[in-house]
Amino acid sequence: DAKTTQPPSMDCAEGRAANLPCNHSTISGNEYVYWYRQIHSQGPQYIIHGLKNNETNEMASLIITEDRKSSTLILPHATLRDTAVYYCIVRVDRMFSGGYNKLIFGAGTRLAVHP
Amino acid sequence: EPEVTQTPSHQVTQMGQEVILRCVPISNHLYFYWYRQILGQKVEFLVSFYNNEISEKSEIFDDQFSVERPDGSNFTLKIRSTKLEDSAMYFCASSDSPGTGGTDTQYFGPGTRLTVL
């Protein structure tokens, strides 16, 4: 699996958009970009994933560059409850992985949302 | 919304004792995983399980560890003889088959905090 690079920490004011960047310059064509977050020591929470098109759901938006070498997770209106560690993970489509589909977590970005 | 559940939330044991951590995956999911997170460190993959057998395991998952799906709904992680360094949060996850052209998203449980004294 390709590796990702994320800033170790970011701050965001409550109510503002939080834009969390991720570099994945060695991503291959059959690898998806996944975002999870972990609040305190709770289980990682799935946020969103995408292949090459931008994606949006009720939690966030995912913007993937045209060359797919980087992406940005956008929380449009951050709240205090969004304070967490955010993980960007690149993972191959199971159809190409031969059943090996573990998630490899890095250190992530610690997002602090302040009033 | 369906969710992965884990019991107990906290397990305290003496070094050398056996522990069994339990998970109930999301009901229609076919792939099951265990991860662990030592305090202050990254989340680490332990093992994946599909069709009643291990499909992949990490170097951490040595002979002291085993997994089982005993009854079609539970998924367990057993540590035969716990060590101090086994103290960690243990997370269970499950995912569905992706179908055609898709991926499978893993959903995690809340974790079991294992403390080995």
Side-chain angles (χ1 to χ4, degrees), chain A residues 23-96:
Chain A
N23 285 319
H24 31 79
S25 58
T26 60
I27 194 170
S28 63
N30 60 6
E31 288 180 313
Y32 283 72
V33 179
Y34 277 77
W35 283 83
Y36 282 80
R37 72 181 182 184
Q38 188 176 27
I39 298 171
H40 298 298
S41 294
Q42 298 176 22
Q45 178 188 22
Y46 166 76
I47 301 172
I48 198 167
H49 73 278
L51 183 63
K52 52 185 176 182
N53 298 321
N54 298 337
E55 302 287 346
T56 296
N57 63 19
E58 65 278 3
M59 289 183 69
S61 294
L62 174 60
I63 308 298
I64 302 174
T65 58
E66 193 169 339
D67 64 7
R68 301 188 68 239
K69 292 184 177 182
S70 66
S71 60
T72 301
L73 178 75
I74 301 173
L75 307 178
H77 305 287
T79 70
L80 299 178
R81 294 179 187 176
D82 292 322
T83 293
V85 178
Y86 287 77
Y87 300 101
C88 170
I89 300 170
V90 171
R91 205 183 88 197
V92 68
D93 186 327
R94 179 182 291 281
M95 290 181 65
F96 300 96

Side-chain angles (χ1 to χ4, degrees), chain A residues 32 34 36 38 40-46 49 87 91-95 99-107, chain B residues 31 33 35 37 42-43 45 55-56 89 91 95-96 98-110 113:
Chain A
Y32 283 72
Y34 277 77
Y36 282 80
Q38 188 176 27
H40 298 298
S41 294
Q42 298 176 22
Q45 178 188 22
Y46 166 76
H49 73 278
Y87 300 101
R91 205 183 88 197
V92 68
D93 186 327
R94 179 182 291 281
M95 290 181 65
Y100 302 102
N101 225 14
K102 62 179 181 263
L103 293 170
I104 300 175
F105 287 82
Chain B
Y31 298 84
Y33 311 82
Y35 294 79
Q37 186 175 33
K42 299 175 186 177
V43 177
F45 167 77
S55 51
E56 189 180 7
M89 286 290 292
F91 298 110
S95 65
D96 195 0
T100 303
T103 62
D104 60 326
T105 297
Q106 293 180 28
Y107 294 92
F108 286 76
R113 180 178 300 282

Side-chain angles (χ1 to χ4, degrees), chain B residues 2-115:
Chain B
E3 58 183 18
V4 177
T5 59
Q6 291 185 242
T7 54
S9 57
H10 191 189
Q11 173 92 47
V12 180
T13 189
Q14 295 290 326
M15 188 170 56
Q17 295 296 304
E18 174 183 287
V19 294
I20 297 176
L21 309 183
R22 292 182 168 79
C23 168
V24 178
I26 294 173
S27 63
N28 62 339
H29 284 185
L30 302 175
Y31 298 84
F32 314 110
Y33 311 82
W34 285 101
Y35 294 79
R36 80 170 186 190
Q37 186 175 33
I38 295 170
L39 185 63
Q41 297 186 21
K42 299 175 186 177
V43 177
E44 302 173 287
F45 167 77
L46 292 179
V47 66
S48 59
F49 190 85
Y50 170 69
N51 200 26
N52 273 329
E53 60 183 30
I54 291 173
S55 51
E56 189 180 7
K57 60 183 181 180
S58 72
E59 294 175 351
I60 304 168
F61 194 88
D62 61 21
D63 292 344
Q64 292 299 312
F65 291 87
S66 63
V67 288
E68 190 179 25
R69 187 154 162 81
D71 57 13
S73 61
N74 291 285
F75 180 51
T76 63
L77 174 69
K78 181 193 291 186
I79 309 175
R80 289 190 183 81
S81 178
T82 51
K83 309 183 193 71
L84 295 176
E85 54 265 36
D86 293 327
S87 294
M89 286 290 292
Y90 287 81
F91 298 110
C92 173
S94 70
S95 65
D96 195 0
S97 174
T100 303
T103 62
D104 60 326
T105 297
Q106 293 180 28
Y107 294 92
F108 286 76
T112 292
R113 180 178 300 282
L114 177 64
T115 301

